[in-house]
Amino acid sequence: MLEETLEGGAQARVGWAMPLVRVKSGPNAGAVFEIGEAPLIIGRDDRAEIQILDQGVSRRHAELFRVGEMHFIRDLGSRNGTFVNEERVREELLRDGDELRIGSTVLIFEDKGGGALAHYPARRVRLAPNADATTTIRIDEHLSGDLDDLAEPAQVQERGPEIKQLYRCAQLIAQAREPRQLAQSVVELVATALEADHVCLFLRTEGTQELELEASYQPAALAERGAPVISAGAIRKVVQTGRPLLTTGEPRGPSPDPRRSAIGIGRPHSVIAAPLLAMEHVHGVLYVAAHDEREPFGLQELEFASAVALQAGIALQGLLLARKQERALFSTVQTLASLLEMRDPVYTGHSARVASYCAAIAGALGLGAAESHRIQMAALLHNIDHIVIPAVPADPAAGDREALRRRYEVSEKIIRRIEGLEFVLPVIRHYHERMDGSGLPDGLPGERIPLAARILAVADQLDALMVIGEPPQGRRLTLKEALLRLRADSPARFDPRVVDALIIAHRAGQIRQPELPAGLLPPAP
């Protein structure tokens, strides 16, 4: 915990607006809570300042507090963790627009102050006793003036455009979620900043010594003239040495190989090649070339391209590693789902089909790729308790509250052994709820049921109607019949918006009649 004291006066903000958290989704959707001087407790406890009635939320789950102009969220030892921008945190400094996830509830932190800070005297920030009570950091009021003297105005003015572009690069990195998207943004940024005729970004293929083109950019005027010749020697040297390279005076003229330069843009006369480094290894190269008549690149352009390459290299490696971990986690989930199919042939392909229906519904609802992926993971694991407890009739209303509670406990024990899967637990717990509040296990109504659980409920019932059959007779329905039954069962049981999204996905050709497992007769016509 951080504690702060202001010496000799208080700080004032001109045009200041109170920071707040806004509930984006979950039981309290639309609610707004201002963050003042007193900490705000988030949890199920009725004494919590932000009460969230969600079984995936601990009684005292997390705490929002401020230190001067900074705002933090701290996890209070919760069962399911506190997430900021989908990363689990213990204590995190918040910035405007950060997305907080507590259980299945999503909140947005907003700090629209932005007013000018009035002058205030020296400040001391002391770490709390459980960290290091002897450490004091003094920030002197005259420090800002000292920093201004470190650079001459002429140097600042000269470096201004490059600093702005580096800042823009940092913004792109912070916003990127996919390696290819980031790579393309980087090459376009560099091409614009250096007025280059051609920019490429190569990445090393995993497990090999080969580089593959990940992104490239040419101005429209040059793109019409064909593909340029790339200096493979420059790229090879950067990979070997791990150092940036600047060359000028390359001979120009038509390419000797017409297949590589159909209209003859020719070789570049100035090239920058900078390594993409991460953990002291070269895993890619940023290649910048000038072909037309212009001043050759100099040291300033080399420094800029190298700085961008360093930032992009670390970010791309992080995104690639995250994707690799995600694939490994998904593989684990698929293995668990296959164990269920080995127990009962009726469930062969069930989890995979339900996951595909969830993906189609999520797409029709306009949900992002990350949210869709989380729902699919939950779908693959929604019947994981059947590995331990034999299956019951398909209609959840046929089971009692205690039976569902035991099943959820089994699912929780299995899933909690796999780090990173805690987010599926609220979905699995609540997909037997009903929109009218008469469902199990907690009787949550309407919007208080997590959206992911509402989607899973519809997808699971669709497959059950077509493969297992409609209770009590067990007659399997055609896809059209199943869609009509789902629509008839909303809004009392299912979310009409989710059912409509399923029908939209069906009309788009994303939902098809499943192939039945061996030994099962097709549904009646």
Side-chain angles (χ1 to χ4, degrees):
M1 178 178 179
L2 291 171
E3 299 176 344
E4 180 184 69
T5 59
L6 298 181
E7 298 180 345
Q11 144 176 312
R13 181 185 283 274
V14 179
W16 181 71
M18 180 76 76
L20 55 87
V21 286
R22 187 184 307 277
V23 183
K24 179 181 178 183
S25 65
N28 300 6
V32 175
F33 301 90
E34 292 185 340
I35 306 174
E37 296 294 335
L40 300 181
I41 301 297
I42 306 173
R44 283 192 296 118
D45 196 303
D46 56 4
R47 291 170 295 181
E49 285 77 13
I50 304 178
Q51 186 182 21
I52 299 177
L53 298 178
D54 181 340
Q55 292 301 316
V57 177
S58 300
R59 292 189 178 278
R60 289 173 57 85
H61 195 106
E63 178 186 35
L64 285 166
F65 63 98
R66 68 181 280 188
V67 178
E69 295 305 312
M70 298 181 293
H71 297 81
F72 296 82
I73 187 168
R74 178 192 300 116
D75 186 84
L76 298 177
S78 65
R79 291 178 302 160
N80 297 332
T82 299
F83 296 80
V84 176
N85 299 325
E86 293 307 319
E87 291 186 7
R88 188 166 184 166
V89 300
R90 291 186 179 178
E91 184 173 300
E92 184 72 5
L93 171 66
L94 298 177
R95 297 172 177 81
D96 182 44
D98 279 350
E99 186 175 281
L100 321 178
R101 182 162 60 81
I102 309 292
S104 59
T105 295
V106 176
L107 307 94
I108 303 297
F109 173 74
E110 298 181 5
D111 184 6
K112 304 300 184 184
L117 287 175
H119 175 76
Y120 59 87
R123 169 183 297 185
R124 292 178 185 269
V125 179
R126 187 177 71 253
L127 298 180
N130 58 357
D132 182 358
T134 64
T135 303
T136 299
I137 304 171
R138 182 178 179 84
I139 304 176
D140 192 78
E141 63 178 328
H142 302 298
L143 180 59
S144 59
D146 295 338
L147 290 175
D148 291 339
D149 295 336
L150 295 178
E152 296 178 3
Q155 292 175 315
V156 173
Q157 186 176 2
E158 181 183 354
R159 293 281 181 166
E162 288 76 18
I163 294 298
K164 289 180 180 178
Q165 293 292 354
L166 286 175
Y167 177 69
R168 176 60 183 150
C169 180
Q171 286 181 311
L172 293 173
I173 288 172
Q175 296 166 0
R177 293 293 179 267
E178 293 292 331
R180 181 154 293 179
Q181 171 201 5
L182 175 57
Q184 189 62 42
S185 298
V186 166
V187 297
E188 293 178 11
L189 172 77
V190 172
T192 302
L194 300 186
E195 299 181 354
D197 298 325
H198 187 221
V199 181
C200 296
L201 193 148
F202 296 87
L203 288 180
R204 189 187 298 276
T205 306
E206 185 177 356
T208 73
Q209 297 299 315
E210 298 178 354
L211 293 177
E212 288 191 2
L213 181 64
E214 186 72 10
S216 65
Y217 178 80
Q218 273 183 285
L222 282 180
E224 298 175 355
R225 292 165 51 188
V229 174
I230 296 175
S231 176
I235 296 174
R236 191 178 299 113
K237 189 169 184 179
V238 169
V239 172
Q240 292 171 347
T241 64
R243 296 179 178 179
L245 176 70
L246 170 63
T247 66
T248 58
E250 290 278 344
R252 297 201 304 274
S255 167
D257 185 349
R259 292 172 299 176
R260 298 183 65 186
S261 184
I263 310 180
I265 291 180
R267 297 182 179 88
H269 72 90
S270 186
V271 167
I272 293 173
L276 275 63
L277 294 168
M279 301 177 68
E280 298 183 349
H281 294 286
V282 178
H283 66 93
V285 173
L286 177 65
Y287 176 89
V288 189
H291 291 264
D292 286 351
E293 294 291 342
R294 55 153 291 168
E295 288 293 322
F297 296 130
L299 291 178
Q300 189 168 327
E301 289 84 357
L302 177 66
E303 289 176 358
F304 172 78
S306 300
V308 171
L310 284 172
Q311 291 187 68
I314 295 171
L316 284 167
Q317 189 69 358
L319 289 173
L320 292 170
L321 287 174
R323 176 179 285 183
K324 185 177 180 180
Q325 291 173 341
E326 193 173 88
R327 286 198 300 264
L329 185 63
F330 197 76
S331 177
T332 300
V333 169
Q334 287 179 313
T335 301
L336 288 172
S338 67
L339 292 176
L340 171 63
E341 297 179 359
M342 293 170 62
R343 183 181 179 92
D344 190 339
V346 171
Y347 285 96
T348 300
H350 170 70
S351 296
R353 290 193 300 272
V354 172
S356 70
Y357 301 154
C358 285
I361 294 171
L365 288 172
L367 301 183
E371 183 65 20
S372 175
H373 192 255
R374 287 194 293 269
I375 298 172
Q376 292 175 66
M377 297 276 267
L380 288 172
L381 294 172
H382 75 285
N383 279 335
I384 198 65
D385 58 276
H386 292 178
I387 294 176
V388 178
I389 304 175
V392 294
D395 185 3
D400 62 358
R401 192 179 305 273
E402 183 61 25
L404 277 178
R405 185 188 64 79
R406 290 197 301 270
R407 290 187 173 279
Y408 177 75
E409 287 177 353
V410 170
S411 298
E412 185 177 27
K413 287 180 181 179
I414 296 172
I415 291 171
R416 284 198 181 279
R417 292 180 178 271
I418 307 172
E419 185 177 354
L421 280 180
E422 298 87 351
F423 63 86
V424 308
L425 291 174
V427 186
I428 294 175
R429 180 179 181 88
H430 294 301
Y431 82 98
H432 287 313
E433 305 283 2
R434 296 170 60 102
M435 293 294 288
D436 61 7
S438 64
L440 299 174
D442 301 314
L444 298 182
E447 296 291 328
R448 290 183 59 187
I449 306 170
L451 176 59
R454 284 178 266 151
I455 292 173
L456 176 56
V458 170
D460 181 61
Q461 183 66 3
L462 173 67
D463 196 69
L465 290 171
M466 294 189 293
V467 177
I468 299 175
E470 182 183 31
Q473 296 86 2
R475 185 181 75 88
R476 290 186 293 278
L477 305 185
T478 64
L479 174 57
K480 182 178 180 180
E481 290 174 329
L483 293 173
L484 291 174
R485 176 50 54 94
L486 290 170
R487 173 171 277 179
D489 285 345
S490 63
R493 182 174 178 182
F494 301 114
D495 185 343
R497 189 166 64 101
V498 174
V499 175
D500 288 345
L502 174 67
I503 294 172
I504 291 171
H506 165 58
R507 290 172 179 167
Q510 297 174 320
I511 308 292
R512 300 180 182 277
Q513 187 82 37
E515 295 183 8
L516 295 178
L520 292 180
L521 296 174

